[in-house]
Amino acid sequence: MKDGLHPEYSEVTIKLADGSEMTTRSTMEDDTYETEVDSTNHPFYTGRRQFVDTAGRVEKFNRRYGLNEDDDGDDEPEEESDE
């Protein structure tokens, strides 16, 4: 094999969002890597969903398609009585 073809493969310390650390090997040049998202706080792994309303997009959708927050889910129009 040719010399200098493969990158350096050295130990890297990974710091997770919850403060835990682990050591692995990587071709990264830095000796530490800090992550903000991991399996302890990502919604895919935790099962918690977070709905973000960016710039009123939910309200815009509701206005466009005629959905109201006070809608009880019935598709039939309500009849008013004259009593």
Side-chain angles (χ1 to χ4, degrees), residues 37-63:
V37 177
D38 57 31
S39 62
T40 61
N41 62 4
H42 193 278
F44 178 79
Y45 298 105
T46 61
R48 290 180 289 157
R49 293 186 178 182
Q50 182 179 17
F51 295 101
V52 178
D53 181 20
T54 307
R57 293 183 186 196
V58 172
E59 287 83 12
K60 183 177 180 182
F61 176 87
N62 290 340
R63 276 185 278 136

Side-chain angles (χ1 to χ4, degrees), residues 17-34:
D18 64 352
S20 60
E21 294 182 359
M22 66 178 162
T23 303
T24 187
R25 295 180 55 125
S26 175
T27 58
M28 291 177 53
E29 295 180 10
D30 298 333
D31 59 347
T32 59
Y33 176 76
E34 294 183 23

